[in-house]
Amino acid sequence: MPAQVLILGIGNVLWADEGFGVRCVETMASKYAFDDNVRLLDGGTQGLYLLPFLEEADTLIVFDAVDYGLEPGTMKIVENEDVPQFMGAKKMSLHQTGFQDVIATAQLMGYCPETLLLIGCQPVELEDYGGGLRDTVAAQIDPAIQIAMDHLKRWGIEARPGQSDQSLLADASILRDAYEEGRPDADAACRTGDDRFFPVAD
């Protein structure tokens, strides 16, 4: 039986470059089709809710924005036992559960995928609510996907031009094109939250 492969993008598209991983898997799903043993998933910020997907996978590829302390836009590839350590390098905040915890829990429960590949990109900006990917980070989407494709080919998994199952991706309203076209420009946008819910002074 072919190995079960999970290709996962994690992060929060509402916070600028934190959306890198989600945008990678979204783009990959729009360009390539795979056999049924390969699943593409927008993991967003679901945290421990991702555990059932890891339980079914033999191989896990993760796209993510990771704060390695490197030059913005720098790509870093980490494999297997080193992945949990580098997932912990990510800048953490209240709106996201650390994926390091997900991997640690899967290991404790005895069903962490045997093969792990983290394709990480150093963000330019994380603290920009409502902002999109910065150009430096967006430019790394295609190179990141190519890294994943090279590993898949090495593992004997072929991709075809086309589209993957879209059912595990984000709602169409927040896919990258719709999100970027629908939000106000940087001068008009509120960067500290949703201003519809701010307290009103008496």
Side-chain angles (χ1 to χ4, degrees):
M1 179 180 294
Q4 299 299 306
V5 179
L6 177 62
I7 303 175
L8 177 65
I10 57 176
N12 191 327
V13 298
L14 301 179
W15 290 89
D17 290 332
E18 272 212 14
F20 173 76
V22 172
R23 298 312 188 196
C24 283
V25 78
E26 171 190 313
T27 302
M28 193 172 187
S30 72
K31 293 182 175 181
Y32 299 105
F34 298 91
D35 290 339
D36 290 342
N37 64 307
V38 178
R39 176 183 285 185
L40 281 78
L41 171 64
D42 170 2
T45 59
Q46 295 181 65
L48 296 175
Y49 289 103
L50 296 171
L51 283 171
F53 294 98
L54 268 66
E55 183 177 9
E56 297 172 358
D58 302 300
T59 297
L60 173 64
I61 297 175
V62 180
F63 295 106
D64 194 13
V66 181
D67 189 355
Y68 299 110
L70 302 174
E71 187 73 19
T74 301
M75 300 270 289
K76 188 173 180 67
I77 314 307
V78 183
E79 300 186 58
N80 298 321
E81 66 273 6
D82 293 328
V83 169
Q85 169 190 348
F86 280 93
M87 294 304 299
K90 185 179 178 79
K91 180 180 177 70
M92 302 308 298
S93 52
L94 291 176
H95 60 270
Q96 184 166 30
T97 300
F99 193 70
Q100 183 185 34
D101 296 337
V102 178
I103 293 178
T105 303
Q107 289 174 330
L108 285 172
M109 298 180 74
Y111 55 65
C112 190
E114 293 181 9
T115 302
L116 302 174
L117 173 66
L118 168 62
I119 303 172
C121 181
Q122 176 71 36
V124 174
E125 179 61 65
L126 295 175
E127 299 301 325
D128 181 11
Y129 180 82
L133 296 182
R134 298 308 193 254
D135 290 344
T136 300
V137 171
Q140 296 294 356
I141 291 176
D142 286 340
I145 291 172
Q146 188 58 55
I147 291 167
M149 296 293 287
D150 290 345
H151 278 78
L152 289 168
K153 187 173 183 179
R154 193 179 311 155
W155 297 330
I157 297 170
E158 296 292 337
R160 304 177 299 277
Q163 290 192 338
S164 297
D165 177 15
Q166 308 285 305
S167 64
L168 296 177
L169 301 184
D171 185 83
S173 64
I174 58 170
L175 295 180
R176 189 179 180 201
D177 287 345
Y179 177 74
E180 295 292 347
E181 292 170 5
R183 66 186 178 87
D185 63 38
D187 292 333
C190 175
R191 295 304 193 217
T192 58
D194 189 330
D195 57 8
R196 295 172 297 173
F197 301 101
F198 286 166
V200 177
D202 293 331

